[in-house]
Amino acid sequence: ILTTPNHSVKRMVVELLNKIPDTAELPMLVLIQNGVGVVEQAHLALAESTNPDRRLSIVRASVFTQVTKKGDQLDYNAEKLRVALSPIGCSPEDFRRAGQLFLFANFQTRNYENYQSLEWTKLLFNTLGTTSMITGLPPSITFEDEELYQLEMNAFAQRCEILRQFNIPISKIDWVKTQMLPALEIVRHISFFKPARKALAGLISQQRNDQPSAAWQKVEAGGDLTEAI
């Protein structure tokens, strides 16, 4: 299980592969990172290892657990441990074992066929409220402010258009309420309508315990901003 920051995945996988004898079967690799591109980094690592002809068995894991700030520490909600899993080149049995591992750790699990759709859907909805990386404001204030609301909605629409251009479908993930996407397409045009802003502010506040973005919390806790991004 690799939980290192996104930008160090390739280096860590190279080190791991080079410690395994060329004749040995590679273990299943569970990648738990935010963002996109980590599966591709793992395959690049294999190409640079001492035996690039081996086959990688990967499970892409994406965690959907609420994080809040308590004092100087980040606190993960133990009652809402949730992880989405997607197989890349692994057998059904290996994938089942990966799911069992998280179930034993008290995680709720969901399985998805398309890891890229899973990654990009999470990234898309995580970017709602990213102005708080600068302002430090919670969703209840961000989305009731007309100017910030319009900035957020315009950016969200642009990201949706990028996914459409590259034919990346939106995964149905109930934990981030992806079913509200059609409504977002409508309310982004009516920033002047205060009830719409208030309703969206309430929905996102409830989902995130009215906390600023994880990136802001990471910076406040003295973390590396590049990891948060």
Side-chain angles (χ1 to χ4, degrees), residues 28 90-100:
M28 177 173 57
C90 68
S91 68
E93 177 58 21
D94 278 348
F95 189 53
R96 186 193 67 79
R97 285 169 48 221
Q100 286 293 322

Side-chain angles (χ1 to χ4, degrees), residues 140-159:
S140 58
I141 296 176
T142 297
F143 288 92
E144 284 208 49
D145 180 274
E146 185 172 352
E147 185 177 355
L148 291 175
Y149 177 97
Q150 196 60 65
L151 284 171
E152 292 282 356
M153 290 296 98
N154 288 346
F156 188 80
Q158 290 167 7
R159 292 166 189 136

Side-chain angles (χ1 to χ4, degrees), residues 91-163:
S91 68
E93 177 58 21
D94 278 348
F95 189 53
R96 186 193 67 79
R97 285 169 48 221
Q100 286 293 322
L101 177 70
F102 283 100
L103 287 173
F104 288 149
N106 294 321
F107 276 80
Q108 300 173 48
T109 64
R110 300 282 189 279
N111 296 338
Y112 294 87
E113 294 270 341
N114 188 331
Y115 80 90
Q116 289 181 316
S117 173
L118 171 62
E119 286 180 337
W120 282 99
T121 300
K122 182 182 181 184
L123 186 62
L124 174 67
F125 280 85
N126 275 359
T127 56
L128 273 171
T130 47
T131 55
S132 70
M133 280 180 60
I134 299 170
T135 65
L137 296 174
S140 58
I141 296 176
T142 297
F143 288 92
E144 284 208 49
D145 180 274
E146 185 172 352
E147 185 177 355
L148 291 175
Y149 177 97
Q150 196 60 65
L151 284 171
E152 292 282 356
M153 290 296 98
N154 288 346
F156 188 80
Q158 290 167 7
R159 292 166 189 136
C160 287
E161 182 57 30
I162 290 171
L163 296 192

Side-chain angles (χ1 to χ4, degrees), residues 34-128:
N34 282 325
V36 299
V38 295
V39 173
E40 291 74 14
Q41 286 189 58
H43 282 111
L44 285 172
L46 177 63
E48 294 181 10
S49 70
T50 55
N51 184 0
D53 294 328
R54 291 175 291 183
R55 184 179 67 87
L56 279 179
S57 174
I58 298 174
V59 173
R60 183 68 172 97
S62 191
V63 176
F64 291 81
T65 299
Q66 280 187 345
V67 183
T68 56
K69 189 164 180 286
K70 290 187 176 179
D72 293 332
Q73 301 296 319
L74 298 181
D75 182 59
Y76 291 82
N77 189 338
E79 295 181 0
K80 293 185 178 180
L81 297 174
R82 303 174 295 200
V83 63
L85 305 170
S86 185
I88 305 99
C90 68
S91 68
E93 177 58 21
D94 278 348
F95 189 53
R96 186 193 67 79
R97 285 169 48 221
Q100 286 293 322
L101 177 70
F102 283 100
L103 287 173
F104 288 149
N106 294 321
F107 276 80
Q108 300 173 48
T109 64
R110 300 282 189 279
N111 296 338
Y112 294 87
E113 294 270 341
N114 188 331
Y115 80 90
Q116 289 181 316
S117 173
L118 171 62
E119 286 180 337
W120 282 99
T121 300
K122 182 182 181 184
L123 186 62
L124 174 67
F125 280 85
N126 275 359
T127 56
L128 273 171

Side-chain angles (χ1 to χ4, degrees), residues 15-40:
E15 289 183 16
L16 174 67
L17 294 178
N18 287 340
K19 290 179 180 178
I20 300 172
D22 289 350
T23 55
E25 183 180 349
L26 294 178
M28 177 173 57
L29 187 61
V30 180
L31 299 177
I32 309 180
Q33 283 80 27
N34 282 325
V36 299
V38 295
V39 173
E40 291 74 14

